[in-house]
Amino acid sequence: MRAFALAVAALCYAANAGAWAQSPAPAPLEAYGATPAIELIQLSPSGELIARITVTGETRSLAVTRISTREDLFVGDISVIKVRDLRWIGEGRVLVVTSQTRNIASLGVPRSELFFGQVLDLETRRVVQVLDRTLDVLPVLYGPASVRNTSDGDTLFVRGVSTTNDQANLHRVDPRTGRGRSVAYMDSTTDDYVLDGEGEIIALSRYDERTGRWSLRLPQGSGHREVWTVDAPVDVPALLGLGRTPRTIVVSADRPDLAPDDAGSGPSEVLFEVNVDTGEWSRLPFEHDPDFLVHHPRTRLLVGGGRDEEAGVQYEFLDPQASRRWSSVERAFRGKAPRLVSWNDALSRVVVFTDTGEAGQYQLVDFDLRTADIVADAYPAIAPEQVGAVRSIHYAARDGLDIPGYLTLPPGVTDPSGLPLVVLAHGGPASRDVAGFDWWAQALASRGYAVLQANFRGSTGYGRAFLEAGYGEWGRKMQTDLSDGVRWLAAEGVIDPDRVCIVGASYGGYAAMAGLTLDSEVYRCGVAVAGVSDLRRMVNWEAEQSRHRNNQTVRYWNRFMGAARLNDRTLDDLSPAFLAASVDSPLLLIHGRDDTVVPIEQSRVMAEALRRAGKPVEFVELPGEDHWLSRSATRRQMLAETVRFLEANNPARRAD
């Protein structure tokens, strides 16, 4: 342990070390491609124990340690699977949620990402599967798990899918056996729910996928009454847990009748606190609209929220104690944009994460002792001096719209000039890039490339108008927003406009292919990972995945793509697979075979179209990989293939 002053001094030294270093030797490429050494970490309710998921190669392990003695109470492999969640059930049990790409043919469940829960009892060292031996219910989690500290003790609640009908009821799970007991009827139209401290349902929402009708239901007698409905074909309201009191909930909704006059410039949904007894709605008193909420670890009451800003995550707490505690964390980690990972019930200990000027570090802060202690490094093989500087940038698109983003420089570069550039387009498209350590951008920067991550129109986090500016702009202004950034960097002298390639995954994969077909004069090569090449085929595939062809996902895609209807042939004009003959630059396609978000067929179609057009193409299929590059081996393979391809077609250093 060490005092806050020493922690701050060490952090300042680490921040300055990168500035003093001159062209440091890069870390091995596989160090960037590896999944983080720590994936999840959680403090126990008392704060005396800490649970974490560690990664070695493809193996995930659960480790539980007593903080005061550093004694490992449990260390065990979870095998080669994907871990999605980690949380405590009281002081003596730990829930681990994993996922696998599977189908259940006997029940008509298509190939998809299925979630499973296991509960470890620290005293008996026994592990049980959630919903195991529950009559007529699959041992699969339908939605997230909830833990409540009830009068009967800490209890787990999950929804489980019936094998006999269309129900996905809420079950109260005995953490000793994993067996569930149905406590509330829920069918496929039940969108979400909120539990109070005793595990009683105090709010329900329903959504009709076909009509786009959403409704809120609040308690009445032994059931629930419908109190508000809205037509929401795409932008569906959401229940976001308890409010600031035990009888209030948080609802994210677009309600012009309750919003202030200037709401048109804000987010499309506003956060409201709803009293479940009176039905009264009131806007939450956040000064800035948060991107996510923070609830108390024990009471589950709302205490604050956070938002991604240019310099990193900024928090705003409504609870006085939480506000005071986090203010002291921000003072101790000044300039490091700390992120809240986990705190104990008394809010006396907190795990924070920082990745400003470093590859990511977890630290345990003890408010009573006024100490901070390093818990783990996310990428231990990457030193701070091997991390490239990340600059926040703004430039004007050709129609004058301000485009924010980030420019990552090669490590040791402080005065960039004439650098080769990689445009790294984010997915979504309703998503965004954020400040901090980005393993993909940093890997490319370590090889000598400047990396542009533009939050093009249609990205989230910049208000309603900016998001809506992307509607119908696939392959149009969302695409030229990227190339306008290239032109701006060239005009500033930062990059060499003749040495630019474009790389991306998911929507970013589409942007990479569109860069070589719809905006081809800018890029000398492209790498598309899990990208969409045939827009109409993609939307039709989404229609087939649901029981209703006209579903929310289809409507979402059509709005962003600018389609008037399902199977709109005008999308072919924006589809790289239909424009393969125009490709004059090398293209590398990479796709996971277990991708359930963008099927691998999208890359196979593009590869075949290029071959028919007599164009060169490289195609790498990643066995056992999903949409999110969850496995270390295939993530490293993707990165190695990308860098090899870039260095062959756009060398970072000019030949003498």
Side-chain angles (χ1 to χ4, degrees):
M1 307 294 277
R2 62 187 190 275
F4 271 8
L6 291 177
V8 174
L11 291 169
C12 290
Y13 173 82
N16 289 329
W20 297 330
Q22 296 297 318
S23 301
L29 195 60
E30 56 266 24
Y32 298 91
T35 48
I38 297 288
E39 285 191 329
L40 297 163
I41 188 165
Q42 288 289 303
L43 285 170
S44 69
S46 71
E48 296 297 323
L49 308 178
I50 191 166
R52 59 202 183 278
I53 300 296
T54 63
V55 183
T56 304
E58 297 299 339
T59 302
R60 271 73 174 169
S61 299
L62 170 65
V64 180
T65 303
R66 187 176 302 280
I67 295 171
S68 60
T69 63
R70 301 190 179 184
E71 171 194 4
D72 287 331
L73 303 182
F74 180 87
V75 178
D77 291 347
I78 309 175
S79 77
V80 186
I81 52 179
K82 296 169 280 192
V83 180
R84 303 304 190 186
D85 195 12
L86 173 70
R87 63 181 67 188
W88 287 86
I89 306 175
E91 192 72 13
R93 294 185 177 92
V94 180
L95 169 69
V96 179
V97 177
T98 63
S99 75
Q100 299 177 36
T101 308
R102 291 174 50 183
N103 70 328
I104 306 177
S106 60
L107 297 177
V109 178
R111 192 166 180 79
S112 54
E113 202 72 7
L114 301 181
F115 291 77
F116 305 86
Q118 296 85 34
V119 177
L120 163 69
D121 188 308
L122 289 175
E123 183 178 356
T124 65
R125 303 177 69 83
R126 183 175 174 229
V127 177
V128 298
Q129 186 170 3
V130 175
L131 294 178
D132 186 36
R133 293 177 296 167
T134 302
L135 184 63
D136 296 330
V137 175
L138 289 173
V140 175
L141 307 189
Y142 188 87
S146 301
V147 176
R148 291 293 184 267
N149 179 251
T150 72
S151 55
D152 295 328
D154 294 285
T155 306
L156 175 66
F157 296 87
V158 301
R159 291 180 71 182
V161 179
S162 171
T163 59
T164 60
N165 53 39
D166 194 35
Q167 293 176 209
N169 292 346
L170 181 67
H171 290 78
R172 186 182 185 122
V173 176
D174 185 340
R176 298 168 301 176
T177 64
R179 190 173 302 169
R181 173 173 60 86
S182 178
V183 293
Y185 169 82
M186 295 180 180
D187 61 17
S188 60
T189 67
T190 304
D191 183 51
D192 205 353
Y193 59 93
V194 178
L195 303 179
D196 67 8
E198 282 293 317
E200 297 295 327
I201 298 175
I202 62 171
L204 276 170
S205 62
R206 294 190 180 278
Y207 186 64
D208 188 313
E209 189 83 39
R210 182 179 58 83
T211 66
R213 191 75 171 169
W214 188 90
S215 64
L216 173 65
R217 297 167 182 257
L218 298 179
Q220 183 177 52
S222 59
H224 296 83
R225 72 190 190 282
E226 184 179 280
V227 298
W228 183 65
T229 63
V230 64
D231 288 322
V234 181
D235 300 314
V236 180
L239 303 182
L240 299 176
L242 289 170
R244 292 171 292 174
T245 68
R247 301 297 293 176
T248 59
I249 61 170
V250 179
V251 180
S252 171
D254 185 2
R255 292 206 61 175
D257 56 319
L258 299 178
D261 293 338
D262 62 349
S265 62
S268 55
E269 287 82 33
V270 174
L271 295 180
F272 294 96
E273 192 169 33
V274 180
N275 187 301
V276 301
D277 297 317
T278 67
E280 180 183 3
W281 291 57
S282 58
R283 188 168 181 175
L284 281 165
F286 286 106
E287 183 178 355
H288 302 287
D289 294 299
D291 296 326
F292 59 88
L293 298 180
V294 180
H295 288 83
H296 192 282
R298 184 170 186 82
T299 67
R300 313 299 186 207
L301 297 181
L302 175 69
V303 295
R307 58 182 285 124
D308 285 302
E309 296 187 355
E310 287 189 0
V313 176
Q314 297 296 314
Y315 291 88
E316 182 181 349
F317 286 98
L318 306 177
D319 175 79
Q321 182 190 24
S323 180
R324 289 193 301 271
R325 291 284 163 91
W326 192 254
S327 292
S328 66
V329 169
E330 290 182 326
R331 289 193 298 271
F333 294 89
R334 193 178 305 278
K336 303 295 288 186
R339 274 177 264 174
L340 170 62
V341 177
S342 171
W343 51 19
N344 66 336
D345 286 356
L347 308 188
S348 60
R349 284 180 170 175
V350 61
V351 175
V352 300
F353 178 79
T354 58
D355 63 351
T356 300
E358 61 193 359
Q361 190 172 83
Y362 294 91
Q363 296 205 41
L364 174 65
V365 175
D366 189 310
F367 294 103
D368 295 333
L369 299 177
R370 295 184 58 79
T371 57
D373 191 25
I374 296 174
V375 176
D377 293 308
Y379 292 89
I382 303 175
E385 61 270 18
Q386 294 171 317
V387 175
V390 180
R391 296 181 177 179
S392 175
I393 61 171
H394 287 258
Y395 59 88
R398 61 191 61 185
D399 63 357
L401 184 65
D402 179 71
I403 305 298
Y406 298 95
L407 179 68
T408 301
L409 299 175
V413 173
T414 57
D415 187 19
S417 177
L419 293 173
L421 177 70
V422 173
V423 175
L424 183 58
H426 68 67
S431 179
R432 62 165 293 176
D433 284 309
V434 298
F437 182 88
D438 182 303
W439 64 271
W440 201 352
Q442 289 289 342
L444 298 176
S446 75
R447 269 51 200 169
Y449 298 97
V451 181
L452 170 63
Q453 294 173 280
N455 285 319
F456 43 81
R457 71 190 70 203
S459 299
T460 56
Y462 298 97
R464 177 189 297 189
F466 193 84
L467 175 69
E468 293 180 349
Y471 294 171
E473 296 297 339
W474 273 59
R476 300 182 178 97
K477 291 181 181 179
M478 280 171 34
Q479 192 68 35
T480 56
D481 285 349
L482 298 172
S483 53
D484 287 342
V486 175
R487 296 180 183 92
W488 177 76
L489 289 171
E492 294 290 310
V494 173
I495 62 104
D496 180 348
D498 293 327
R499 294 194 292 157
V500 181
C501 287
I502 183 168
V503 175
S506 195
Y507 171 80
Y510 166 80
M513 289 183 278
L516 302 191
T517 52
L518 296 167
D519 208 0
S520 58
E521 295 181 359
V522 181
Y523 308 104
R524 61 188 298 172
C525 69
V527 180
V529 180
V532 178
S533 69
D534 183 335
L535 275 60
R536 184 160 54 94
R537 184 190 293 258
M538 179 69 202
V539 178
N540 288 343
W541 179 83
E542 289 285 11
E544 296 296 334
Q545 300 308 298
S546 173
R547 68 183 69 192
H548 303 296
R549 288 178 60 81
N550 177 26
N551 57 64
Q552 182 198 6
T553 304
V554 168
R555 294 189 289 265
Y556 168 87
W557 286 122
N558 282 342
R559 182 172 71 178
F560 260 107
M561 293 176 181
R565 65 191 69 84
L566 189 63
N567 203 39
D568 188 340
R569 292 186 178 276
T570 63
L571 294 180
D572 297 350
D573 296 335
L574 303 172
S575 297
F578 283 85
L579 307 171
S582 67
V583 173
D584 292 323
S585 301
L587 175 64
L588 170 63
L589 302 170
I590 303 176
H591 215 124
R593 292 177 183 167
D594 284 351
D595 195 329
T596 58
V597 178
V598 176
I600 194 172
E601 174 192 35
Q602 286 288 325
S603 288
R604 290 172 177 168
V605 165
M606 185 64 182
E608 180 58 28
L610 287 166
R611 293 186 185 112
R612 286 199 309 268
K615 304 292 184 176
V617 62
E618 295 186 45
F619 183 24
V620 177
E621 297 191 9
L622 304 176
E625 187 53 88
D626 58 25
H627 189 68
W628 307 279
L629 297 171
S630 299
R631 299 178 62 243
S632 291
T634 43
R635 195 162 102 162
R636 283 170 164 159
Q637 182 184 359
M638 181 282 294
L639 193 55
E641 294 285 0
T642 298
V643 170
R644 173 196 61 78
F645 185 82
L646 290 173
E647 290 180 339
N649 294 286
N650 188 30
R653 292 170 178 81
R654 291 183 183 275
D656 293 334

